[in-house]
Amino acid sequence: MIVNLRRFCGLSLSASMLAALLPQAPAAPPAKLTAQDTLKQQRSNVRLLPREGTMRWSGGFLLAAFQEEDQAPMVPDPQQPLIPQPQQPLLPDQPLTDAPQPTEAGEAQTIQIPTPEQVSALVDREQGIQSSASSGTTGAEATVQGATDLGQLLQQSSSVDTIDVQRRSPVALDPNIRGYKQGQIYTQSEGAYWLAARQDLDTMLSKIDPTMIDNVVVLSGPYGVQYGPGLSFIAIDTADTPRYECGPEHHARILGSVRTNGGQTYGRTTAYGGDSDWGYRISYGDKKGSDYLSGNDIQIPSSYDTNDVWANWGYSINPDQRLELGYLRYEQIDTEYPGQFFNIDDLITDGFNARLIDEGAQGPWSRFIIDGWWNRTRFNGDNFGKRNPLFPEVQRAETAFEIFNQNVDPGSTRVDALTAGDLESTGGRAMATFGDIEDQHYNVGGDFRYIEQNITEDIEINTRRGGLLVPRSEIPVIFTNLPRASATDPGLFAEHVLPMSSFWTTKVGARVDFYQTQTSADELRGGTFISGDLEAEDTLFAGYWSNEVQLDCNWTLTGGFGHGQRAPTLIERYSDGLFLGVAQSGFTRVIGDPGLDEERDTQIDVGLAADYDYWRARAGVFHAWIDDYVTLSGDIVEQPPFLSARLFRFVNTDEATLAGFEASGEYDWSDYLSPFATIKYVEGRDQVINAPLTQIPPLDSVVGIRLHEPSRARLWSVEFASRIVDNQDRLGTVRTGRGLETIEEETPGFTVWHLRSYYNYSRDLTFTAGVENLFDRNYQEHLDLRLRGPEGFPGGITRTLAPGITPYFGVDWTF
């Protein structure tokens, strides 16, 4: 089905897509074309973005036509602003994407490089089969959304409908995919495996600037056998280094934005260039912010200061082989985390990655990719800034101590705490593709990961009795830790893409990992909670089968069945009383269990998509059964009652389930107006105790309308929409020494409005502006933290409320 671009308002374009759309010299056709030669030739013939372009649905919207040289360029996107490329970069001869491709029941909902309509079926087979289990977004969407954090972009993206986030700070948004949480989500960038150094103070998404990405693939189930062991997946590709046909060129891009609520500023400067066989990109970004105001004008402590440096260099060894190298340094200082026990003083990440790509016909494969990486994050934090009168978390702990120890002087207690730690991830991956992508083909490969992690906490309680300090013999320093532990994980995977007929394509994949975790008895602290065998071995299996059936020219049916397994994290196996905010309260301590079993997840997905000239829609349902699901068990702090302070242990429950649905659609009401809507829902249950799982978001929907320029150029667009969230009364419940305890608080429903707009002043200059929480609604997300203090403590419940009205504006200029 061909959809006129004038009628579409949801295209996501990445920087590499736009680079491919600029004029390039046509390639002479070979004497005998293979399917891959045809695809390469069509790429070389792509001209300026077509004013009379067309769109085709393939689980995402794909630009499916190109224009002749004498046609005028257009500004592409009814929803996204143009991300300009000022000259004529020549992309190296490459596949649709360099990274190992997603292998789930479906693929990304964006295609990076547009291709002519006559080879679109070839692109489908290269990218895989679409389904409701996957979604994606691009760096271009970050600009129009006003997003400065990748977690924020994924939550706001119109093309990703399976993600919620927990806001720990404006620069630390923890993803939640259909109820899958950190540890169950495998995250990678440019092939490199990333994970948090401390899961309540760190998230991989904060390190990847959304304007630097080419695309993000979100796999909402156990379908990512090419990546690693996991129950869901986030895979990020950054933009390739450019090439230039007519000699060396050098360019720059400057962009920035301001969010007035909290004085949040963001700026980035990028220099890039190269020649016909090499390219580079160097970028520096800086973000700063202070406390923001909630809808009822409560000041939420949320200051931060971050900066990052990206450096990428690429070299084309020959037309078929190239090398890409990358380095990232990320620094985060003086970051406040409301509702948690610690703030961050400094957090520093260094990461290197390398990729070698071979697409030469002389080899036995049609494509061969080798990835290698090393990254390390180290941090220091404390609780010294936790004495905000509106967020008196530490004061509550001090008051609780004095109530419990009634023979000390009231008001004389001070709790000072330090935390530090580091995490290192290193590994590699090799993958070969055999066969013609126009027909059936195979992907086979292997990978290896090594992870090492350590966390320490020192908590000192100083108090007085009769005006004199209580001696250390009575109140010693409390030392808790994650002893230095490591995990090794070699794995093998294989996939087969098989077109069964002209309308039906099926795909199967399998994976096996040999996962081992360990720590040394010498690393355990005195009085440790950890017991049992300190080494664990898990053989992890994964497999899937997915199908895409073109029912007719308008309707597509997709379906998948997947099974994945993941080993418990080092935190879950070896935490020794750490203050980790793993529940709705940030005042929780956790104890690991080296004997935890691996989780085993079986999931079914069914999706249906419709694509007509004036409207588009898609819907999907899923159900997952998880054996030996890792959950929590523990009690509240009894004396005195401190209802949000708990001591938890990680435990397995025999069976848990996740089930739900997503749906979205849009309708071109007129040349100016396009209403749209989305909805998503997930329910999680511990089937053994027949109670809700923790950290499950409520029913969430968006309804809105876009006003846009009637011409196909779409130089401007204004979006007005409301987000409607149901109350969450299915509250997380765990086992305790007294039976079952509900450890979450009901969250009221809310409706908030936003206004977003962009204007492409020229091909090189884009302006964005908008207002989040337009009517200054006071509300809280269910996943965000809250704290109920000791009995009799003034102030009641402290809530980490969402930001109130937040105007923003930004500019993006390339020269």
Side-chain angles (χ1 to χ4, degrees):
M1 178 63 188
I2 303 299
V3 181
N4 195 299
L5 182 60
R6 182 180 184 182
R7 296 295 184 184
F8 173 63
C9 59
L11 170 64
S12 294
L13 291 177
S14 66
S16 63
M17 288 178 69
L18 291 164
L21 293 168
L22 294 174
Q24 301 179 22
K32 183 177 180 180
L33 292 179
T34 65
Q36 199 164 17
D37 291 332
T38 302
L39 181 59
K40 292 178 180 178
Q41 177 191 345
Q42 296 296 347
R43 285 198 205 104
S44 67
N45 286 332
V46 172
R47 301 294 182 186
L48 291 174
L49 188 66
R51 193 172 190 85
E52 298 297 329
T54 57
M55 300 299 299
R56 188 180 57 77
W57 174 260
S58 178
F61 288 93
L62 169 67
L63 190 64
F66 59 95
Q67 74 176 55
E68 299 303 326
E69 289 181 319
D70 58 354
Q71 289 182 281
M74 67 168 283
V75 179
D77 191 345
Q79 181 180 345
Q80 315 298 345
L82 176 67
I83 303 298
Q85 299 286 344
Q87 299 295 326
Q88 183 177 324
L90 176 66
L91 291 176
D93 192 13
Q94 63 182 4
L96 292 176
T97 178
D98 297 339
Q101 293 305 291
T103 57
E104 74 293 5
E107 296 297 343
Q109 293 180 349
T110 55
I111 303 294
Q112 295 155 291
I113 298 177
T115 59
E117 187 175 3
Q118 54 265 44
V119 294
S120 60
L122 186 64
V123 175
D124 290 344
R125 291 172 186 146
E126 172 69 12
Q127 292 291 81
I129 302 170
Q130 312 299 321
S131 89
S132 60
S134 68
S135 55
T137 186
T138 65
E141 192 173 5
T143 305
V144 71
Q145 299 286 0
T148 60
D149 184 274
L150 185 52
Q152 179 188 11
L153 172 62
L154 291 174
Q155 184 184 42
Q156 294 178 176
S157 171
S158 60
S159 58
V160 178
D161 51 12
T162 60
I163 284 190
D164 287 271
V165 296
Q166 182 181 41
R167 177 189 292 268
R168 296 186 180 274
S169 92
V171 290
L173 283 79
D174 200 9
N176 184 299
I177 303 177
R178 283 181 169 177
Y180 295 117
K181 303 179 288 292
Q182 195 170 139
Q184 298 170 320
I185 302 173
Y186 184 98
T187 53
Q188 76 166 46
S189 176
E190 291 299 299
Y193 179 44
W194 290 81
L195 64 166
R198 180 179 166 125
Q199 66 189 65
D200 60 342
L201 299 177
D202 183 29
T203 169
M204 172 264 195
L205 297 184
S206 67
K207 300 177 176 66
I208 310 299
D209 189 280
T211 63
M212 295 296 293
I213 66 172
D214 192 18
N215 67 55
V216 181
V217 178
V218 178
L219 312 183
S220 307
Y223 304 106
V225 299
Q226 282 188 21
Y227 301 128
L231 309 187
S232 58
F233 301 82
I234 298 176
I236 301 165
D237 286 323
T238 57
D240 292 330
T241 55
R243 305 290 190 270
Y244 296 88
E245 182 182 28
C246 302
E249 296 186 18
H250 307 279
H251 306 285
R253 178 185 179 194
I254 297 175
L255 58 92
S257 66
V258 174
R259 301 175 72 86
T260 59
N261 188 357
Q264 301 174 60
T265 60
Y266 163 73
R268 177 164 296 280
T269 301
T270 303
Y272 62 96
D275 207 335
S276 60
D277 59 356
W278 62 273
Y280 71 90
R281 181 179 294 103
I282 300 174
S283 183
Y284 173 78
D286 186 89
K287 292 189 286 188
K288 289 181 173 63
S290 57
D291 300 349
Y292 66 77
L293 295 178
S294 64
N296 60 350
D297 291 334
I298 290 180
Q299 184 172 296
I300 309 296
S302 52
S303 60
Y304 60 88
D305 186 350
T306 75
N307 62 81
D308 63 79
V309 176
W310 296 68
N312 300 92
W313 180 80
Y315 177 67
S316 298
I317 302 169
N318 56 50
D320 297 316
Q321 297 174 329
R322 67 187 183 279
L323 176 68
E324 296 283 341
L325 303 176
Y327 169 69
L328 166 66
R329 182 175 178 86
Y330 173 84
E331 296 183 356
Q332 176 181 331
I333 61 175
D334 298 335
T335 304
E336 293 181 292
Y337 290 78
Q340 296 186 188
F341 194 70
F342 290 105
N343 290 330
I344 283 289
D345 293 330
D346 59 82
L347 181 148
I348 299 173
T349 297
D350 292 287
F352 297 87
N353 65 276
R355 172 170 288 162
L356 179 64
I357 306 103
D358 179 10
E359 298 178 276
Q362 66 273 14
W365 48 73
S366 53
R367 180 175 62 194
F368 184 62
I369 300 175
I370 298 177
D371 283 316
W373 73 84
W374 175 87
N375 58 67
R376 180 172 182 256
T377 298
R378 55 197 185 277
F379 68 88
N380 290 280
D382 61 49
N383 72 339
F384 300 160
K386 289 290 188 178
R387 290 170 173 83
N388 185 315
L390 295 176
F391 277 77
E393 299 100 330
V394 174
Q395 184 184 351
R396 294 179 182 215
E398 294 167 347
T399 301
F401 177 85
E402 290 176 355
I403 296 174
F404 180 67
N405 298 273
Q406 297 183 13
N407 59 341
V408 301
D409 298 344
S412 68
T413 302
R414 182 179 179 91
V415 176
D416 292 326
L418 299 171
T419 183
D422 64 90
L423 182 139
E424 179 180 334
S425 169
T426 187
R429 176 184 292 105
M431 186 188 77
T433 300
F434 300 92
D436 191 337
I437 59 175
E438 189 177 13
D439 198 7
Q440 63 175 316
H441 63 274
Y442 300 86
N443 298 318
V444 296
D447 48 37
F448 175 81
R449 279 160 293 278
Y450 174 79
I451 301 100
E452 186 174 294
Q453 188 175 14
N454 170 244
I455 300 174
T456 61
E457 294 177 345
D458 295 279
I459 304 170
E460 183 178 280
I461 302 175
N462 294 300
T463 190
R464 294 178 179 274
R465 181 187 301 125
L468 300 176
L469 282 174
V470 177
R472 280 281 160 256
S473 59
E474 294 188 36
I475 310 176
V477 173
I478 301 171
F479 175 69
T480 58
N481 74 336
L482 169 69
R484 186 164 296 278
S486 64
T488 56
D489 175 28
L492 300 170
F493 60 87
E495 294 178 296
H496 184 196
V497 178
L498 179 62
M500 305 295 290
S501 67
S502 60
F503 62 89
W504 176 23
T505 301
T506 192
K507 190 174 183 180
V508 295
R511 179 181 181 90
V512 61
D513 287 85
F514 305 96
Y515 204 95
Q516 183 180 40
T517 62
Q518 63 180 359
T519 190
S520 168
D522 295 337
E523 295 284 340
L524 300 181
R525 66 183 180 87
T528 179
F529 293 121
I530 303 298
S531 61
D533 192 347
L534 299 180
E535 295 187 14
E537 295 183 356
D538 303 279
T539 302
L540 308 174
F541 298 97
Y544 73 90
W545 173 42
S546 61
N547 294 272
E548 182 183 278
V549 180
Q550 194 73 37
L551 301 177
D552 58 27
C553 61
N554 302 113
W555 292 88
T556 302
L557 176 67
T558 58
F561 172 84
H563 178 81
Q565 300 179 3
R566 70 103 185 176
T569 65
L570 297 177
I571 290 281
E572 291 166 341
R573 277 192 163 149
Y574 302 116
S575 290
D576 200 359
L578 292 178
F579 261 105
L580 285 182
V582 296
Q584 212 179 55
S585 166
F587 260 52
T588 56
R589 297 178 63 196
V590 294
I591 301 169
D593 181 359
L596 284 176
D597 293 326
E598 69 271 12
E599 291 182 339
R600 301 182 302 281
D601 179 23
T602 301
Q603 181 169 314
I604 295 176
D605 286 90
V606 178
L608 185 65
D611 175 20
Y612 287 85
D613 284 343
Y614 293 94
W615 65 276
R616 294 149 301 278
R618 64 180 184 268
V621 297
F622 73 95
H623 198 293
W625 298 263
I626 308 173
D627 295 330
D628 290 323
Y629 182 90
V630 176
T631 184
L632 301 169
S633 173
D635 283 311
I636 64 172
V637 176
E638 285 284 358
Q639 295 178 335
F642 195 160
L643 301 181
S644 294
R646 295 178 178 273
L647 178 63
F648 286 124
R649 291 182 180 270
F650 290 108
V651 297
N652 291 113
T653 187
D654 288 345
E655 183 181 352
T657 57
L658 295 168
F661 64 87
E662 301 94 21
S664 63
E666 57 184 336
Y667 173 68
D668 296 334
W669 192 359
S670 71
D671 290 343
Y672 288 92
L673 295 175
S674 299
F676 62 93
T678 66
I679 189 170
K680 59 185 175 183
Y681 174 76
V682 61
E683 181 172 356
R685 295 195 72 81
D686 184 333
Q687 295 294 337
V688 176
I689 61 176
N690 192 28
L693 296 175
T694 63
Q695 294 181 292
I696 302 296
L699 178 72
D700 195 329
S701 62
V702 175
V703 178
I705 191 166
R706 296 187 185 101
L707 172 67
H708 46 73
E709 186 189 26
S711 74
R712 295 187 176 96
R714 298 290 168 86
L715 295 175
W716 57 267
S717 177
V718 178
E719 177 181 293
F720 181 62
S722 67
R723 178 173 170 232
I724 306 165
V725 179
D726 193 15
N727 68 299
Q728 179 59 293
D729 53 10
R730 297 173 297 282
L731 306 180
T733 302
V734 301
R735 302 162 179 83
T736 70
R738 298 183 302 274
L740 302 183
E741 293 279 351
T742 298
I743 63 169
E744 292 183 342
E745 176 189 74
E746 182 172 349
T747 306
F750 58 86
T751 300
V752 292
W753 297 80
H754 71 251
L755 183 68
R756 301 183 183 128
S757 66
Y758 72 83
Y759 173 56
N760 288 306
Y761 177 80
S762 71
R763 189 173 181 83
D764 300 327
L765 184 60
T766 295
F767 297 98
T768 57
V771 183
E772 302 290 342
N773 195 356
L774 182 61
F775 301 112
D776 206 22
R777 177 69 187 272
N778 185 47
Y779 70 99
Q780 182 178 33
E781 304 278 0
H782 182 70
L783 298 179
D784 291 350
L785 299 177
R786 62 215 64 186
L787 179 66
R788 182 177 299 172
E791 190 175 85
F793 185 85
I797 299 176
T798 299
R799 305 178 188 276
T800 304
L801 299 169
I805 183 171
T806 306
Y808 70 88
F809 61 91
V811 62
D812 191 338
W813 180 33
T814 300
F815 55 93

